[in-house]
Amino acid sequence: MSAVNIPSNTESIDTSAFKNCLNIKDINIPDSTVQIGNQAFYNCSNLENLTVGNNIQDFGTDVFTGCQNLALINYNSSKIPDSLFSNCGNLQTLILGNKVENILENAFSDCYKLNKVFISKSIVEIENGAFKNCSSIATTEYEGSETDLEEVYIGTDNENLINAINYNSPLFAPEDITITNPTITKKETENQWNFTIDVEQPYIGCNVYVAIYDNSGILLNANKVPLELYNNTVISVDKNSNAQYAKIFVWINDMQPITNSEEISLIN
């Protein structure tokens, strides 16, 4: 078991449901989930990526204790309880979405390798020690302005987070997105077509898709990669001798487009 996608209608994850599941690498907890029991993911020591839905209301104790290989957290529920992710020693990237309002004491304390944090301007409270001993934070991308941050309660022992802030980072897609045309460059090798995609405004949680078709519009092959935030995105697809054209589009994870679909001829 390398990935766990909790069913989309799941409201509760039981106590110790995945305790000591050493083979889990990716977990996606849906928006339907409102309660997670004690030690639900205790000692999932090979867990690397975690996405938490928007509506968690009740966390048990030690839910993610022992997740020492957790490298990326994508979290978008309103509150992050005390010590929920403390001592996740290999955590490197933290994405706090636009539903997050409260980060409680020691939520990410002793995450020594945490390097990059993304924070929405929805945040209203960062309690004492929430980022205590997170000495490796190099960049805090904050969606709000310096004036917005002045309205946020920030407790002690969070200097590593605050000292690394970049203000006005447009990271989270608004409800009303302006659809634009991407800039696309095509190159090819003996076995692949390679496309470089530049979008006017990238957002967290977007993917780039490429699909190739024959002359009758039959799908021959496809690929998907995450949209890069700070560089152009490169995506490749294997060649097919019957391919006539490719379609390329960029969507947020909920399948909302941020670019128009572009059709690219594959015939030289």
Side-chain angles (χ1 to χ4, degrees):
M1 177 191 319
S2 61
V4 174
N5 288 301
I6 309 297
S8 59
N9 61 349
T10 300
E11 295 184 1
S12 177
I13 299 175
D14 292 340
T15 294
S16 303
F18 296 93
K19 182 178 181 179
N20 296 322
C21 289
L22 303 183
N23 293 327
I24 294 177
K25 291 188 176 181
D26 301 276
I27 295 172
N28 184 12
I29 299 173
D31 290 346
S32 61
T33 302
V34 296
Q35 190 272 336
I36 302 179
N38 297 339
Q39 297 188 350
F41 298 95
Y42 181 90
N43 198 36
C44 291
S45 57
N46 289 309
L47 176 63
E48 295 178 358
N49 302 299
L50 172 66
T51 298
V52 179
N54 296 342
N55 299 310
I56 308 295
Q57 299 172 16
D58 180 22
F59 276 101
T61 59
D62 297 323
V63 172
F64 297 104
T65 296
C67 295
Q68 284 297 317
N69 278 340
L70 189 58
L72 183 150
I73 295 173
N74 190 334
Y75 188 101
N76 202 23
S77 198
S78 63
K79 182 172 70 174
I80 305 175
D82 295 355
S83 304
L84 184 64
F85 297 105
S86 65
N87 198 30
C88 288
N90 284 303
L91 177 63
Q92 298 176 36
T93 303
L94 174 63
I95 301 170
L96 301 180
N98 53 16
K99 304 289 186 182
V100 179
E101 296 181 350
N102 308 95
I103 307 174
L104 301 189
E105 291 188 12
N106 299 309
F108 300 98
S109 64
D110 300 318
C111 292
Y112 299 106
K113 292 185 180 180
L114 182 58
N115 178 262
K116 183 165 286 189
V117 182
F118 300 90
I119 299 180
S120 168
K121 63 181 179 182
S122 63
I123 201 75
V124 298
E125 175 186 36
I126 303 174
E127 284 284 0
N128 295 341
F131 292 89
K132 182 179 180 180
N133 295 328
C134 294
S135 56
S136 295
I137 295 177
T139 305
T140 302
E141 299 288 0
Y142 176 54
E143 186 185 29
S145 66
E146 191 168 0
T147 300
D148 291 325
L149 190 67
E150 290 174 357
E151 300 298 318
V152 179
Y153 170 78
I154 302 174
T156 60
D157 290 325
N158 291 303
E159 293 81 6
N160 292 317
L161 179 82
I162 301 306
N163 290 340
I165 278 188
N166 290 327
Y167 293 102
N168 299 309
S169 295
L171 302 171
F172 301 94
E175 292 184 4
D176 184 18
I177 294 174
T178 300
I179 306 299
T180 60
N181 294 320
T183 300
I184 300 172
T185 303
K186 181 190 76 173
K187 293 184 179 180
E188 60 180 288
T189 66
E190 182 179 353
N191 298 313
Q192 288 184 320
W193 284 290
N194 303 309
F195 303 92
T196 300
I197 294 92
D198 180 19
V199 304
E200 185 172 313
Q201 176 56 66
Y203 299 107
I204 284 175
C206 295
N207 291 305
V208 178
Y209 299 80
V210 59
I212 60 173
Y213 301 86
D214 68 9
N215 198 43
S216 300
I218 295 175
L219 177 66
L220 301 174
N221 205 350
N223 195 13
K224 177 186 80 170
V225 298
L227 178 68
E228 296 285 344
L229 288 176
Y230 303 107
N231 299 293
N232 293 342
T233 304
V234 178
I235 187 170
S236 301
V237 63
D238 290 342
K239 283 187 172 179
N240 184 298
S241 59
N242 294 321
Q244 298 288 308
Y245 64 94
K247 287 187 176 180
I248 295 174
F249 40 94
V250 184
W251 285 344
I252 300 175
N253 284 341
D254 61 4
M255 308 306 281
Q256 180 181 5
I258 71 165
T259 70
N260 293 308
S261 175
E262 290 288 304
E263 186 171 309
I264 308 294
S265 174
L266 299 177
I267 305 301
N268 293 327

